[in-house]
Amino acid sequence: MTHEDFMKEAIKLSVENVKNGGGPFGAVIVKDGKIVGKGANSVTTHNDPTAHAEIVAIRNAAKELGTFDLSDCTIYTSCEPCPMCLGAVYWAHLSKMYYGNTKKDAAKAGFNDAFIYKEMELPVDKRSIPAERLLSNEAYKAFKMWKENPDKIEY
């Protein structure tokens, strides 16, 4: 299969998902020329705001491969990822990403993530969702334990 074939599969998932009442996003993850994870946006169908196509595909690929490190995989997604999904692409260590629609195309369709990018640039005390630091000394205990653990599995 070619890159175009894998992208067509992601696009097909997005189109089928709209027909079934979901959002217009689809993604596939490929390793060694084989699809190892698929995902379609199921935010509204599963009442899960994190169930974006890329996240679902990453979860499915990680489960299929038995690893959280997808560095030898490529993602094909019907749209340029939102900030959450882009973060997940990096955390999963995917080696390459292909996308169909741009974030500007998504905004025209009613999916505008620009406000999130703007919020991320602001100091915490200037963001629209109030945030306050609480019990920082107690919370740091877990980080200290992590740093000192010789048996940790880094990711």
Side-chain angles (χ1 to χ4, degrees), residues 108-143:
K108 290 177 191 174
F111 299 94
N112 192 345
D113 299 325
F115 76 97
I116 298 174
Y117 289 105
K118 289 177 185 172
E119 285 282 310
M120 291 169 58
E121 293 177 6
L122 294 173
V124 173
D125 63 338
K126 302 289 186 206
R127 295 179 184 165
S128 62
I129 296 177
E132 185 176 329
R133 193 168 183 192
L134 185 63
L135 299 176
S136 59
N137 290 334
E138 289 88 342
Y140 195 79
K141 180 180 178 182
F143 283 153

Side-chain angles (χ1 to χ4, degrees), residues 10-23:
I11 293 167
K12 178 181 165 190
L13 286 168
S14 71
V15 171
E16 289 175 359
N17 203 49
V18 172
K19 290 178 183 177
N20 293 321

Side-chain angles (χ1 to χ4, degrees), residues 10-60:
I11 293 167
K12 178 181 165 190
L13 286 168
S14 71
V15 171
E16 289 175 359
N17 203 49
V18 172
K19 290 178 183 177
N20 293 321
F25 304 95
V28 297
I29 295 180
V30 175
K31 178 180 178 179
D32 299 328
K34 179 183 171 212
I35 294 174
V36 294
K38 293 182 180 185
N41 182 290
S42 57
V43 169
T44 58
T45 56
H46 289 112
N47 293 317
D48 180 353
T50 68
H52 291 198
E54 297 90 342
I55 301 290
V56 174
I58 288 168
R59 289 174 181 162
N60 289 333

Side-chain angles (χ1 to χ4, degrees), residues 46-113:
H46 289 112
N47 293 317
D48 180 353
T50 68
H52 291 198
E54 297 90 342
I55 301 290
V56 174
I58 288 168
R59 289 174 181 162
N60 289 333
K63 184 176 181 181
E64 172 70 20
L65 298 173
T67 182
F68 56 83
D69 182 357
L70 304 179
S71 58
D72 51 358
C73 298
T74 300
I75 188 167
Y76 298 81
T77 179
S78 64
C79 186
E80 185 177 2
C82 74
M84 176 181 69
C85 293
L86 184 60
V89 166
Y90 280 96
W91 280 117
H93 306 288
L94 288 156
S95 63
K96 188 156 186 175
M97 176 177 65
Y98 293 91
Y99 62 92
N101 294 310
T102 67
K103 59 185 173 185
K104 288 182 181 179
D105 296 327
K108 290 177 191 174
F111 299 94
N112 192 345
D113 299 325

